[in-house]
């Protein structure tokens, strides 16, 4: 039987788009297609047939062997971390998310990327039970189903894990979460949320200063020191560790004893969502993603991989690179542990494709060339399409790169705005960008903030103006870096009108 996204169970195999993901699939495993309205969608639900009762049951699905995966699992009540592996026994307890590489496509040596296929597994809530994934010593992927209360022991079991597949891992994840959003109706996907307005201002969180020992006098001294340094924060987050001080654990335990924990958690979640709706009307959010080529590599333990994460601005991309080798969560000791006292220097590379969604903001006529600006080194590099740039980092070193699509003018000039080059996320300053190449040789930019604004131009610009006033600029012939200063605006959130004639 084949259902949504070409998902089927046949001859003891879980097949997804013609690829075998699991072997020796159990006879009681059922596949239910996802429907969006009256239309068959691109995913399916895994469930089980069982007449067994119990508040906690474990159901093997099938064997996972020889396929790379990355999963997120809960290692503390409120924290998750990642684990990579290639067989079922590598999947830890309390796994909340699993992505499997069904065809190898995340590492390659130049040229066109080979065909790849990725499968996402999302365990979800069904009724008064929650599902999580785990592996066993027979390399079987299992569903662990529990209510948290001995008196709640009956379940339906048809919609326990959502499965989706596709050639782009980030699109697969996005679409899978949207499908679960439609099915559950209890949360909103991040595309329906917006960047928090408070990120437009400088703020201070007390956690790194005080951890759980936050106190009024310490907060007062911290605020005073920031003001004395000339950078008074516009907001303060008082964080003592999830506001654990003052919480009544006895009361919570009593509620848990008298009520199924899944039901109780749902009530907490509903209350949290209601609070967010009242206090943060647009459900603000910010997040980053690992680059495709390190999705299935372990940047903390394998001794050779740099962690790379990417995100998008309105007109640029940003890539953070980190040498995190040497320490991580120990699955034996169940704690974070240093496993290499002297991790070595690692050399990797970055490329335009690290910013997976860069083509979505590049506009028409983009040929694939980019400008890469490194924040710490202050270097600007022109990267032709499909080329790479080496990155070498010592242990616990990092670098942040702004990646910008290059546009070509009919007169042969190439241009790309970088943004405020002294900021970590330089391109975040650019709020509007227009290439007026059809009528003239002018680039119009609206930018926020103050400091040194940088851009790439293959030829020296004829003129730079800020708010219609011609502005002095500096041009580095060898690199094509154009820089000029944006002053401190007289009003908050002011947008400078910049015009550059090339």
């Amino acid at each position: 039987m084949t259902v949504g996204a070409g998902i089927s169970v046949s001859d003891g195999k879980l097949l997804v788009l013609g690829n075998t993901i699991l072997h020796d699939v159990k006879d009681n495993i059922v596949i239910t297609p996802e429907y969006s309205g009256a239309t068959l969608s691109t995913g399916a639900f895994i469930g089980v047939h069982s007449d067994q009762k119990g508040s906690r049951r474990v159901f093997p699905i099938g064997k996972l062997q020889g396929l790379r995966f990355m999963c997120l699992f809960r290692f503390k009540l409120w924290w998750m971390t990642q684990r990579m592996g290639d067989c079922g026994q590598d999947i830890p307890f309390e796994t909340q998310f699993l992505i499997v590489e069904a065809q190898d496509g995340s590492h390659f040596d130049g040229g066109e990327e080979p065909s790849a296929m990725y499968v996402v597994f999302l365990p979800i809530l069904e009724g008064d039970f929650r599902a999580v994934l785990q592996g066993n010593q027979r390399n079987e992927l299992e569903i662990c189903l529990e209510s948290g209360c001995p008196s709640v022991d009956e379940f339906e079991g048809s919609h326990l894990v959502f499965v989706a597949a596709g050639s782009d891992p980030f699109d697969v994840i996005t679409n899978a979460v949207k499908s679960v959003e439609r099915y559950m109706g209890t949360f909103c996907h991040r595309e329906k949320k917006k960047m928090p307005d408070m990120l437009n201002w400088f703020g201070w969180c007390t956690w790194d200063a005080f951890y759980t020992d936050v106190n009024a006098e310490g907060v007062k001294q911290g605020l005073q020191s920031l003001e004395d340094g000339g950078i008074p924060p516009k907001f303060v987050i008082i964080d003592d560790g999830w506001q654990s001080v003052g919480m009544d654990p006895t009361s919570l335990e009593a509620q848990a004893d008298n009520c199924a924990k899944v039901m109780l958690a749902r009530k907490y979640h509903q209350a949290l969502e209601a609070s967010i709706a009242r206090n943060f009307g647009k459900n603000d959010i910010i997040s980053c993603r690992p680059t495709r080529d390190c999705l299935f590599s372990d940047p903390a333990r394998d001794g050779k991989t740099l962690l790379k994460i990417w995100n998008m601005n309105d007109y640029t991309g940003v890539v953070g690179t980190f040498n995190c080798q040497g320490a991580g969560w120990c699955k034996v000791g169940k704690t974070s542990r240093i496993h290499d006292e002297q991790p070595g220097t690692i050399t990797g590379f970055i490329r335009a494709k690290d910013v997976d969604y860069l083509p979505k903001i590049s506009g028409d006529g983009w040929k694939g060339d980019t400008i890469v600006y490194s924040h710490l080194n202050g270097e600007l590099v022109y990267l032709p399409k499909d080329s790479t740039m080496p990155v070498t980092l010592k242990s616990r070193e990092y670098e942040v790169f702004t990646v910008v699509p290059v546009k070509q003018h009919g007169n042969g000039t190439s241009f790309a705005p970088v943004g405020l080059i002294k900021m970590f996320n330089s391109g975040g300053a650019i709020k509007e960008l227009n290439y007026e190449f059809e009528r003239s040789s002018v680039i119009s930019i609206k930018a926020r903030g103050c400091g040194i604004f940088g851009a790439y131009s293959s030829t020296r610009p004829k003129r730079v103006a800020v708010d219609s006033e011609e502005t002095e600029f500096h041009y580095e012939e060898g690199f094509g870096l154009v820089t000029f200063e944006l002053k401190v605006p007289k009003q908050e959130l002011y947008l400078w009108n910049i015009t550059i004639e090339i």
Side-chain angles (χ1 to χ4, degrees):
M1 177 181 64
T2 301
V3 293
I7 301 172
S8 65
V9 174
S10 178
D11 297 327
K13 300 177 182 179
L14 177 66
L15 301 172
V16 180
L17 297 176
N19 296 272
T20 300
I21 308 302
L22 301 178
H23 298 268
D24 299 337
V25 175
K26 304 302 180 182
D27 293 337
N28 65 333
I29 298 299
V30 295
I31 306 294
T32 303
E34 179 212 5
Y35 286 93
S36 180
T39 305
L40 185 66
S41 190
T42 57
F45 295 90
I46 293 179
V48 296
H49 280 315
S50 175
D51 56 4
Q52 301 177 14
K53 292 184 178 181
S55 61
R56 185 182 186 275
R57 306 297 304 175
V58 176
F59 300 98
I61 305 174
K63 291 184 178 180
L64 175 65
Q65 294 176 303
L67 296 177
R68 298 197 306 171
F69 72 80
M70 187 270 286
C71 68
L72 299 177
F73 69 98
R74 192 175 69 162
F75 69 98
K76 288 186 177 180
L77 181 62
W78 50 82
W79 288 117
M80 289 199 295
T81 190
Q82 84 285 351
R83 176 76 55 79
M84 291 76 171
D86 59 10
C87 60
Q89 63 180 325
D90 293 334
I91 300 174
F93 295 121
E94 288 290 329
T95 290
Q96 316 285 317
F97 166 88
L98 173 67
I99 182 168
V100 177
E101 185 184 47
Q103 294 176 2
D104 187 359
S106 64
H107 57 282
F108 62 96
D109 298 319
E112 290 298 319
E113 204 161 338
S115 175
M117 205 272 286
Y118 305 90
V119 183
V120 167
F121 295 79
L122 292 178
I124 60 177
L125 298 178
E126 184 184 71
D128 295 332
F129 284 78
R130 74 178 186 108
V132 294
L133 299 172
Q134 61 189 42
N136 63 30
Q137 292 302 310
R138 298 183 297 276
N139 284 324
E140 291 175 325
L141 176 65
E142 298 177 329
I143 300 173
C144 179
L145 191 65
E146 62 179 350
S147 69
C149 181
S151 63
V152 180
D153 59 2
E154 295 185 5
F155 53 87
E156 180 181 344
S158 61
H159 292 67
L160 303 180
V161 179
F162 184 77
V163 184
S167 59
D168 185 303
F170 307 110
D171 284 345
V172 174
I173 295 169
T174 297
N175 293 333
V177 174
K178 287 181 177 179
S179 294
V180 175
E181 175 196 17
R182 287 193 299 268
Y183 173 71
M184 301 290 293
T186 56
F187 67 95
C188 291
H189 185 264
R190 66 179 186 175
E191 288 182 0
K192 297 180 181 178
K193 305 173 184 180
K194 66 177 287 289
M195 202 73 74
D197 288 336
M198 69 180 187
L199 293 184
N200 292 313
W201 295 278
F202 170 72
W204 177 46
C205 177
T206 65
W207 175 252
D208 286 325
F210 304 108
Y211 297 104
T212 58
D213 296 326
V214 62
N215 59 83
E217 184 60 31
V219 172
K220 183 178 179 180
Q221 292 177 1
L223 290 172
Q224 187 63 53
S225 67
L226 290 168
E227 185 168 355
D228 292 344
I231 49 172
K234 294 294 183 71
F235 65 89
V236 178
I237 299 174
I238 298 176
D239 185 354
D240 68 350
W242 308 98
Q243 296 193 8
S244 56
V245 179
M247 182 178 289
D248 184 357
T250 305
S251 174
L252 290 179
E253 289 173 5
Q255 292 182 65
D257 287 340
N258 295 318
C259 177
K261 293 179 181 178
V262 173
M263 296 172 63
L264 183 60
R266 180 181 284 112
K267 294 294 185 182
Y268 283 155
H269 181 78
Q270 290 171 348
L272 181 60
E273 289 286 343
S275 175
I276 291 172
R278 285 194 306 271
N279 299 289
F280 303 94
K282 295 180 180 178
N283 214 356
D284 305 339
I285 192 169
I286 182 172
S287 61
C288 297
R289 301 181 182 195
T291 60
R292 188 181 297 207
D293 61 346
C294 69
L295 263 178
F296 304 100
S297 301
D298 192 337
R301 299 174 182 83
D302 67 9
K304 61 182 181 181
T305 301
L306 294 176
L307 171 63
K308 297 190 295 182
I309 59 175
W310 66 272
N311 209 333
M312 297 295 300
N313 297 303
D314 294 333
Y315 299 98
T316 66
V318 59
V319 178
T321 57
F322 309 84
N323 185 343
C324 303
Q325 297 289 342
W329 180 255
C330 176
K331 63 181 180 181
V332 177
K334 307 299 182 185
T335 186
S336 295
R337 177 172 296 174
I338 296 174
H339 55 266
D340 187 350
E341 296 284 351
Q342 295 181 323
T345 298
I346 297 177
T347 296
F349 62 86
I350 70 162
R351 54 185 179 170
K353 288 183 178 179
D354 286 338
V355 185
D356 214 77
Y357 289 172
L358 196 65
K360 295 184 178 182
I361 54 97
S362 59
D364 297 334
W366 182 51
K367 298 181 180 180
D369 295 357
T370 54
I371 286 297
V372 176
Y373 182 82
S374 55
H375 171 76
L376 296 181
N377 290 334
E379 296 178 349
L380 184 144
V381 176
Y382 190 105
L383 280 185
K385 181 181 179 180
D386 294 330
S387 59
T388 62
M389 186 177 83
V391 181
T392 299
L393 298 176
K394 296 179 182 179
S395 174
R396 289 183 283 184
E397 286 188 340
Y398 71 94
E399 182 58 279
V400 180
F401 299 94
T402 298
V403 183
V404 193
V406 174
K407 288 297 184 70
Q408 279 81 28
H409 186 271
N411 64 10
T413 301
S414 300
F415 186 88
V418 177
L420 293 173
I421 60 177
K422 298 299 183 181
M423 307 293 285
F424 278 108
N425 183 19
S426 303
I430 303 172
K431 297 304 177 185
E432 292 186 24
L433 174 62
N434 291 293
Y435 291 92
E436 302 174 13
F437 287 170
E438 293 184 2
R439 301 189 303 264
S440 63
S441 302
V442 174
I443 298 97
S444 298
I445 301 169
K446 287 190 176 182
R448 180 175 292 161
C450 59
I452 304 300
F453 191 95
Y456 166 80
S457 180
S458 60
T459 59
R460 182 182 181 86
K462 297 177 181 178
R463 182 177 181 270
V464 175
V466 178
D467 283 357
S468 301
E469 293 186 9
E470 189 165 344
T471 301
E472 183 179 349
F473 65 92
H474 178 70
Y475 182 69
E476 297 183 28
E477 294 281 352
F479 300 97
L481 179 62
V482 183
T483 55
F484 53 92
E485 185 176 2
L486 295 180
K487 298 178 181 180
V488 178
K490 294 181 180 180
Q491 63 187 71
E492 292 184 346
L493 304 182
Y494 181 75
L495 290 176
W496 297 102
N497 290 290
I498 302 168
T499 56
I500 301 175
E501 184 177 355
I502 58 176

